[in-house]
Amino acid sequence: LCYNVVIMSSNSPQLLKGFRDFGPDKMSARLVMLEKIRKSFERFGFAPMETPVLEYEKTLTGKYGAEEKLMYRFSDQGGRAVAMRYDLTVPLARFYTTNKETLPKPFKRYAIGPVWRAENTQKGRFREFYQCDVDVVGSSSAIADAESIAAIYAALKDLGLQSVTIRINNRKIIQGILEVIGVDGKKTVSVLRFLDKIDKQGEGKVKKLLEQDGMSSGQVKDLFDYLQLSASESKGLQDNFSRLMLENKNLAEGIGELSDVLDALYGMGVTTYTVDLKLARGLDYYTGTVCEMVLSELPNFGSIAGGGRYNNLIGTVSGGKEKIPAVGMSIGIDRLIVALEDLDLIKYDSTQDVLVFNLDEDKLGTYLGIVTGLRRGGVNADLYYKTDSIDKQFKYADSKKINLAVIIGEDEIKKGIVTIKNLATRKQWSVKSNKLLEEIKKSL
Amino acid sequence: LCYNVVIMSSNSPQLLKGFRDFGPDKMSARLVMLEKIRKSFERFGFAPMETPVLEYEKTLTGKYGAEEKLMYRFSDQGGRAVAMRYDLTVPLARFYTTNKETLPKPFKRYAIGPVWRAENTQKGRFREFYQCDVDVVGSSSAIADAESIAAIYAALKDLGLQSVTIRINNRKIIQGILEVIGVDGKKTVSVLRFLDKIDKQGEGKVKKLLEQDGMSSGQVKDLFDYLQLSASESKGLQDNFSRLMLENKNLAEGIGELSDVLDALYGMGVTTYTVDLKLARGLDYYTGTVCEMVLSELPNFGSIAGGGRYNNLIGTVSGGKEKIPAVGMSIGIDRLIVALEDLDLIKYDSTQDVLVFNLDEDKLGTYLGIVTGLRRGGVNADLYYKTDSIDKQFKYADSKKINLAVIIGEDEIKKGIVTIKNLATRKQWSVKSNKLLEEIKKSL
């Protein structure tokens, strides 16, 4: 059966499905968050950068795997095939390729901005969402991996999150194990994709998928036995794999790199990490370190940040033969906000402090002078435009979440005073007109 | 003659024509500017808001006049006709229409973000550029017009611009004059468009265009004679038009509204305005006040901010019969930056303060501890990843515009000190290790 559903289009304009408006309350909270993230990133030596929303389509295609079909693409007025930014990493690769001569080496940048993917909105996903990325381009040092992780971790701490757990792994270890147990190297990509589904689909299901994909049940058992081996620090990890490391180059490299990252993290005072050899991450382009962060308070929420090392991507984007190592981590701010809301860590503060009431149209000059004096003094002050009932003016202050009212009537003008009312506590008091700014600043 | 020019596509990925990357230097400066603008807007009672980059195409079409062909539009994965944000005003209208029940009345919001127009890049125009808008929706008070103007003016002052001139007018005055001199009301839109070209094409040329458009040479002369009448404040303006105001309703309303806006501006301490009755502004949707700001230091630069009252737009967008008055002003940040550069008012500051040198790989733990201590103390600190020649490390610091080097060698460790070097002055001194943070904070 097939229905053609016709939805009557209303005259009133609509928001596109999967897109969101941020009104003043939400936007104020977002700005406070983004500023904290920005400052954390800058403390770790990352400098800000921004690339355009549109890129040549061919710059973006072939980088993201099957998900690429979610990219918004079209032909522009000049007939160019263009696409909307799908992440902040491939544009960074394009930027680095064209500017590398003049950039610091290594190049440490952060970027904060929206990306677009035509996701299935029934899964609660958004089609426009912000990413906050740190990346280090041009270094294969383990300190770069650790710094990217530590910068994101510090940002999450600054946002008030107390129990962030860092899950960390290195894809070379998985690849090495697959080689050791005799799985064809060409299978690595698909094995990584299946392992990435463990959190959502469970280990049993993933084991079945791996068998359907061509691994023997013995190989699957061996793989998971090896992936089970873990350790809380580099020494234990090396002990677990000491024999196999002699046998297999990828395993030796993977364990070595992971150890160095753990040591560097430790040196930076970051200790809440767990080595999880099953961690694969979704993107095809990771070549070594992979990492994600979860909240112990919200174990079922999934990851709020993730990333890894991608030593081939920039070379691929540049189309050249040069290999340019890079590593980066990203916070998904929209998921993070949901988590912060769940944990009651988000404050929907108003940007507005004071409303000057308008009680007498003949006193407009006085009101304008008062509100102007407050603004020049650095106070966020509003004036009620027209003489109106005091109830309406209280209601307006309430709708803007304004906390202080400045009230000046006949009586106040005669006495050279102003009345201040705290709209939350209902407390009301008067001060000399020339002390208003000082008093307001004290009361904020 | 017609050539088909084939440009060989290089392997290396390109930035799209008319689009820009902002590397760390430019981006740091932009962030400082945007933050100042944001704070100014908030002081005037405007709250932040953000709408999506994509809207239904039909929401945006029919609002911008002939320029609309520059809109980026396409069909999305679900077959919806969508378009990229062309300005921040029509999305505000859409937002207001769908949320008006829950919004403060009047609704004062600011928005800062990019918009997209497929402009002719040969004219030095960008296809992606930022707008910084303040708007008041739901009030026809002249205070709203004045506040929008004053908020933008305050932002420009905060950015260091000393000589901003505000040109202001009311379109009803032009319409009234046209009625008085017997020009068909249907001609108003085209007359406004021609008047908007005076700055670029000169008065002589515009007079010719008006005659070609059907006005008699006598009417053109009368129009310009009336438009020449000006005054520096509301009283003089009313005196100039006192007789005609009795005759013509639009003229009376226009002069009345303009007078009220001037008085409110004066009440807010903004006095650097010029009434310019020839000022028309480009957008079709303005219905009353129109305003633009120019820099006396850069008289030929054109306007750096502009806006006006649009009492019909929101009703049009909502498709309803209700009239919702609104007024707003906008800063074009990209043009402004060019102006600030011309006036040497822009500082391309680094976000980075300190580089911890890496002189001995065995001391990595110490270096990591030092850089972590600085970061936790709120300093933007970087560590050079690998032990390398000191020259390379100075070069790296220079490429990141880092001002202070922290140097720890064998000698320093023995003595429990650290050496600090100011890379600009070449001055070098040592402090006890536990005084480093304090000393660095003093030296920033």
Side-chain angles (χ1 to χ4, degrees):
Chain A
L1 255 162
C2 177
Y3 296 94
N4 281 312
V5 180
V6 177
I7 296 163
M8 289 297 290
S9 97
S10 111
N11 269 334
S12 157
Q14 303 293 317
L15 191 61
L16 277 163
K17 208 164 68 169
F19 289 77
R20 291 163 299 167
D21 291 318
F22 299 104
D25 288 356
K26 296 215 161 171
M27 193 62 198
S28 303
R30 285 175 80 86
L31 287 171
V32 170
M33 282 182 62
L34 292 176
E35 190 63 14
K36 282 186 183 169
I37 292 172
R38 192 178 286 288
K39 292 296 168 209
S40 292
F41 290 175
E42 290 180 359
R43 280 208 311 283
F44 279 79
F46 294 91
M49 206 191 96
E50 192 170 294
T51 61
V53 165
L54 292 183
E55 296 276 358
Y56 278 105
E57 183 186 13
K58 66 176 179 199
T59 303
L60 305 192
T61 47
K63 312 300 184 306
Y64 304 109
E67 299 283 281
E68 190 176 294
K69 66 178 189 294
L70 304 179
M71 195 183 291
Y72 285 99
R73 45 188 116 195
F74 60 99
S75 180
D76 79 359
Q77 277 84 340
R80 297 168 206 88
V82 299
M84 292 176 79
R85 198 161 63 195
Y86 185 85
D87 71 0
L88 303 175
T89 312
V90 176
L92 165 64
R94 196 261 312 139
F95 173 82
Y96 187 83
T97 300
T98 36
N99 294 280
K100 62 172 176 249
E101 303 309 325
T102 60
L103 295 174
K105 278 166 198 63
F107 179 55
K108 293 172 66 175
R109 82 90 179 82
Y110 73 84
I112 296 177
V115 300
W116 292 267
R117 300 179 188 176
E119 294 273 8
N120 185 344
T121 54
Q122 288 177 323
K123 294 184 185 162
R125 295 211 177 111
F126 303 118
R127 292 179 172 170
E128 175 179 71
F129 57 96
Y130 269 67
Q131 292 190 330
C132 307
D133 284 20
V134 291
D135 290 84
V136 184
V137 181
S139 170
S140 48
S141 167
I143 307 174
D145 304 55
E147 249 183 357
S148 305
I149 295 168
I152 297 274
Y153 183 73
L156 295 174
K157 285 275 175 186
D158 281 354
L159 291 170
L161 292 166
Q162 292 306 314
S163 66
V164 177
T165 300
I166 302 168
R167 296 171 65 196
I168 188 164
N169 192 17
N170 188 303
R171 280 189 171 181
K172 289 182 185 172
I173 300 174
I174 297 175
Q175 201 183 333
I177 292 171
L178 290 173
E179 286 162 9
V180 166
I181 64 176
V183 174
D184 187 341
K186 286 179 196 154
K187 281 247 176 289
T188 311
V189 173
S190 66
V191 171
L192 288 167
R193 282 187 194 157
F194 287 125
L195 290 177
D196 187 46
K197 294 181 202 286
I198 292 178
D199 282 347
K200 280 180 192 142
Q201 307 196 358
E203 228 170 87
K205 171 82 179 166
V206 167
K207 284 177 179 168
K208 268 184 211 138
L209 289 169
L210 287 169
E211 287 183 28
Q212 283 165 20
D213 193 46
M215 277 172 71
S216 74
S217 61
Q219 284 175 326
V220 171
K221 187 182 175 304
D222 286 351
L223 174 64
F224 276 81
D225 283 349
Y226 280 122
L227 295 179
Q228 215 59 53
L229 293 171
S230 191
S232 55
E233 30 71 68
S234 56
K235 179 69 176 54
L237 195 63
Q238 287 170 24
D239 288 349
N240 281 340
F241 285 93
S242 53
R243 189 184 53 81
L244 286 181
M245 283 168 71
L246 295 173
E247 255 177 51
N248 184 281
K249 186 172 157 286
N250 273 316
L251 200 45
E253 278 184 21
I255 297 284
E257 289 172 13
L258 182 51
S259 298
D260 288 348
V261 176
L262 297 182
D263 289 347
L265 278 174
Y266 185 83
M268 292 180 201
V270 178
T271 53
T272 62
Y273 49 73
T274 317
V275 172
D276 181 354
L277 299 184
K278 294 195 285 286
L279 182 70
R281 297 289 302 163
L283 285 169
D284 284 352
Y285 57 58
Y286 293 127
T287 55
T289 300
V290 283
C291 174
E292 67 181 35
M293 300 195 194
V294 290
L295 298 171
S296 319
E297 292 108 327
L298 301 173
N300 299 320
F301 191 79
S303 68
I304 51 167
R309 182 165 276 284
Y310 49 98
N311 285 349
N312 298 329
L313 178 67
I314 298 185
T316 310
V317 170
S318 74
K321 278 170 193 165
E322 198 186 355
K323 244 194 176 178
I324 297 162
V327 62
M329 290 283 297
S330 178
I331 304 180
I333 194 88
D334 298 281
R335 285 178 55 71
L336 181 62
I337 287 176
V338 177
L340 289 167
E341 277 174 343
D342 281 2
L343 295 168
D344 208 17
L345 284 171
I346 208 153
K347 262 179 74 186
Y348 287 112
D349 252 351
S350 170
T351 53
Q352 298 306 307
D353 304 321
V354 173
L355 177 66
V356 176
F357 275 46
N358 187 334
L359 301 173
D360 179 349
E361 59 185 326
D362 293 338
K363 296 193 178 60
L364 184 59
T366 304
Y367 300 143
L368 286 171
I370 295 273
V371 77
T372 299
L374 290 172
R375 288 167 178 170
R376 289 190 176 167
V379 174
N380 295 349
D382 218 356
L383 166 67
Y384 199 85
Y385 287 154
K386 54 182 182 185
T387 306
D388 212 335
S389 79
I390 200 154
D391 271 359
K392 278 200 179 168
Q393 303 195 39
F394 277 122
K395 217 174 136 187
Y396 175 72
D398 188 54
S399 73
K400 286 189 83 172
K401 298 203 171 88
I402 291 174
N403 208 20
L404 295 173
V406 168
I407 298 164
I408 302 160
E410 203 60 53
D411 206 41
E412 277 85 359
I413 290 200
K414 264 187 217 150
K415 295 182 188 161
I417 58 167
V418 293
T419 297
I420 302 170
K421 180 167 182 159
N422 183 314
L423 300 175
T425 63
R426 312 248 152 213
K427 211 189 112 190
Q428 180 170 319
W429 69 104
S430 295
V431 295
K432 292 248 177 214
S433 300
N434 60 0
K435 296 284 177 204
L436 177 63
L437 176 61
E438 198 181 309
E439 185 70 19
I440 291 284
K441 284 193 159 180
K442 249 195 296 180
S443 315
L444 286 180
Chain B
L1 255 163
C2 177
Y3 296 94
N4 279 312
V5 181
V6 177
I7 296 164
M8 289 298 290
S9 98
S10 112
N11 269 335
S12 154
Q14 303 293 318
L15 191 61
L16 278 162
K17 208 165 68 170
F19 289 77
R20 291 163 300 166
D21 291 318
F22 299 104
D25 288 356
K26 296 215 162 172
M27 193 63 198
S28 302
R30 285 175 79 86
L31 287 171
V32 170
M33 284 182 60
L34 293 176
E35 190 62 15
K36 281 187 183 169
I37 292 173
R38 192 178 287 289
K39 292 296 167 208
S40 291
F41 290 175
E42 290 180 359
R43 281 207 310 283
F44 280 79
F46 294 91
M49 205 190 97
E50 191 169 294
T51 61
V53 165
L54 292 183
E55 296 276 358
Y56 278 104
E57 183 186 12
K58 68 177 178 201
T59 303
L60 305 191
T61 46
K63 313 298 184 306
Y64 304 109
E67 299 284 281
E68 189 176 295
K69 66 178 187 296
L70 303 178
M71 195 183 292
Y72 285 99
R73 45 188 117 195
F74 61 99
S75 180
D76 79 359
Q77 276 84 339
R80 297 167 206 89
V82 299
M84 290 176 79
R85 199 160 64 195
Y86 186 85
D87 71 359
L88 303 175
T89 312
V90 175
L92 166 64
R94 196 262 310 139
F95 173 83
Y96 187 83
T97 300
T98 36
N99 294 279
K100 62 171 177 251
E101 304 309 325
T102 60
L103 294 173
K105 278 166 198 59
F107 178 56
K108 293 172 67 175
R109 83 88 178 85
Y110 74 83
I112 296 178
V115 300
W116 292 267
R117 299 179 188 177
E119 293 273 8
N120 185 343
T121 54
Q122 289 178 323
K123 293 183 186 164
R125 296 210 177 114
F126 303 118
R127 291 178 173 169
E128 175 178 72
F129 56 97
Y130 270 67
Q131 291 190 329
C132 307
D133 285 19
V134 292
D135 289 85
V136 183
V137 181
S139 169
S140 48
S141 167
I143 306 175
D145 306 53
E147 251 184 355
S148 306
I149 294 167
I152 297 274
Y153 182 74
L156 295 174
K157 285 275 176 187
D158 281 354
L159 291 170
L161 292 166
Q162 292 305 314
S163 65
V164 177
T165 300
I166 302 167
R167 296 171 66 196
I168 188 165
N169 191 18
N170 188 302
R171 280 190 170 180
K172 289 182 185 172
I173 299 173
I174 298 175
Q175 200 183 334
I177 291 171
L178 290 174
E179 285 163 9
V180 166
I181 64 175
V183 175
D184 187 340
K186 287 177 195 154
K187 282 246 175 291
T188 311
V189 173
S190 66
V191 171
L192 288 168
R193 283 186 193 158
F194 288 125
L195 290 177
D196 186 46
K197 296 181 200 286
I198 292 178
D199 282 347
K200 280 180 194 144
Q201 309 197 355
E203 227 170 88
K205 171 81 179 167
V206 168
K207 283 178 179 169
K208 268 184 211 141
L209 288 169
L210 287 169
E211 286 183 28
Q212 282 164 19
D213 191 49
M215 277 173 71
S216 74
S217 61
Q219 283 175 324
V220 171
K221 187 182 176 304
D222 285 351
L223 173 65
F224 276 80
D225 284 348
Y226 280 122
L227 294 180
Q228 215 58 53
L229 293 171
S230 191
S232 55
E233 30 72 68
S234 55
K235 179 70 175 57
L237 194 64
Q238 287 170 23
D239 288 348
N240 281 340
F241 286 93
S242 54
R243 189 184 52 82
L244 286 182
M245 283 168 71
L246 295 173
E247 255 177 52
N248 182 281
K249 186 171 155 286
N250 273 317
L251 201 45
E253 278 184 19
I255 297 283
E257 289 172 11
L258 182 51
S259 299
D260 288 346
V261 175
L262 297 181
D263 289 347
L265 277 175
Y266 185 84
M268 291 180 201
V270 178
T271 54
T272 61
Y273 50 73
T274 318
V275 172
D276 180 354
L277 300 184
K278 293 196 285 287
L279 181 70
R281 296 288 302 164
L283 286 168
D284 283 353
Y285 57 58
Y286 293 127
T287 55
T289 299
V290 281
C291 174
E292 67 181 34
M293 299 194 196
V294 290
L295 298 171
S296 319
E297 291 109 327
L298 300 173
N300 299 321
F301 191 79
S303 68
I304 50 166
R309 181 165 278 283
Y310 50 98
N311 285 347
N312 297 329
L313 178 66
I314 299 186
T316 309
V317 170
S318 75
K321 278 171 192 164
E322 196 185 356
K323 246 195 176 177
I324 297 163
V327 63
M329 290 284 294
S330 179
I331 303 180
I333 195 87
D334 299 279
R335 285 179 55 71
L336 180 61
I337 287 176
V338 177
L340 290 167
E341 276 173 344
D342 283 0
L343 295 168
D344 208 17
L345 284 171
I346 208 154
K347 261 179 73 185
Y348 287 112
D349 253 351
S350 170
T351 53
Q352 297 306 307
D353 305 321
V354 173
L355 178 65
V356 177
F357 275 46
N358 187 335
L359 300 174
D360 179 350
E361 59 185 326
D362 292 338
K363 297 195 176 61
L364 184 59
T366 305
Y367 300 144
L368 285 171
I370 294 273
V371 77
T372 300
L374 290 172
R375 286 167 179 170
R376 288 191 176 165
V379 174
N380 295 348
D382 219 355
L383 167 66
Y384 198 84
Y385 288 154
K386 54 182 182 185
T387 305
D388 213 336
S389 78
I390 200 154
D391 271 359
K392 277 202 179 167
Q393 303 195 38
F394 277 122
K395 218 175 135 187
Y396 176 72
D398 189 53
S399 73
K400 287 189 82 171
K401 297 202 172 92
I402 291 174
N403 209 20
L404 295 174
V406 168
I407 298 164
I408 302 160
E410 204 58 55
D411 206 42
E412 277 86 359
I413 291 203
K414 266 186 215 149
K415 296 183 188 160
I417 58 167
V418 293
T419 297
I420 302 170
K421 181 167 182 161
N422 184 313
L423 300 175
T425 64
R426 311 249 154 213
K427 210 188 112 191
Q428 181 172 319
W429 69 104
S430 296
V431 294
K432 292 246 177 215
S433 299
N434 61 1
K435 296 284 177 203
L436 176 64
L437 176 62
E438 200 180 306
E439 186 69 20
I440 291 284
K441 284 194 161 179
K442 250 195 296 177
S443 315
L444 287 179

